[in-house]
Amino acid sequence: MEFRVGDRVMLKVSPWKGIIRFGKRGKLSPRFLGPFKVLARVGLQAYKLELPPEMAGIPNTFHVCYLRKCLAVEESVIPLSDIHVDENNRCVVEPEAILARKTKELRHKEIVMVKVQWKHHRGLNVTWDAEEDLKRRYPHLFS
């Protein structure tokens, strides 16, 4: 494979799992990190990458066999600084607005469903949720 300067690539880290730990351990450990920007081509089969400061102890030149082209759209990548995690290690996402309401009829009861737009959410940021669940979790949204 060949990359151009400015391309975004993913870095394969599975050979280094025993040497350097990247986040989780075991089968939940990441196989690829990134995306990283290609700064320069070094020789015929190596590339220099722009690594973040937290990876300062790792050399920034890698053989082409450790790189994969990043196919993700730049806007869909969520920076780790934007992710908020609570004490139970769950991602915290706040609702922004209620867009619509509808009633879902079941056999013995009716459930009011609301269409919610979420903050800090990439991709599809609108979902249908039960109103009573949202009132319990986010009472400030209904006041």
Side-chain angles (χ1 to χ4, degrees):
M1 289 194 89
E2 289 190 15
F3 303 105
R4 288 182 263 143
V5 173
D7 282 353
R8 310 290 284 179
V9 295
M10 301 295 287
L11 176 62
K12 185 174 182 178
V13 295
S14 51
W16 303 330
K17 284 191 294 189
I19 303 167
I20 303 169
R21 186 168 302 138
F22 298 99
K24 300 273 186 192
R25 245 182 112 171
K27 65 181 178 181
L28 296 178
S29 64
R31 302 292 185 248
F32 292 92
L33 293 179
F36 302 112
K37 184 178 174 184
V38 174
L39 295 178
R41 184 172 182 165
V42 181
L44 296 175
Q45 296 183 341
Y47 291 91
K48 189 174 281 199
L49 303 181
E50 180 181 4
L51 298 178
E54 54 266 14
M55 294 177 70
I58 300 172
N60 66 347
T61 304
F62 299 94
H63 191 271
V64 72
C65 69
Y66 295 116
L67 304 176
R68 298 288 182 271
K69 186 165 184 69
C70 179
L71 301 175
V73 179
E74 183 73 28
E75 297 84 38
S76 67
V77 176
I78 302 172
L80 289 176
S81 59
D82 286 356
I83 297 175
H84 304 288
V85 179
D86 66 2
E87 63 277 353
N88 295 329
N89 291 331
R90 292 182 296 191
C91 185
V92 178
V93 181
E94 289 287 323
E96 188 172 16
I98 295 177
L99 303 176
R101 279 188 168 75
K102 70 178 181 181
T103 303
K104 185 174 184 178
E105 294 183 18
L106 301 177
R107 288 184 183 178
H108 302 291
K109 65 179 180 179
E110 293 181 346
I111 299 175
V112 178
M113 302 292 289
V114 290
K115 192 174 188 179
V116 183
Q117 183 174 7
W118 299 93
K119 292 181 189 175
H120 304 298
H121 190 81
R122 303 283 203 277
L124 184 64
N125 62 351
V126 178
T127 60
W128 285 96
D129 292 305
E131 185 178 48
E132 62 184 54
D133 291 342
L134 286 173
K135 279 185 179 179
R136 187 175 57 247
R137 288 186 294 171
Y138 308 104
H140 63 279
L141 193 62
F142 295 93
S143 55

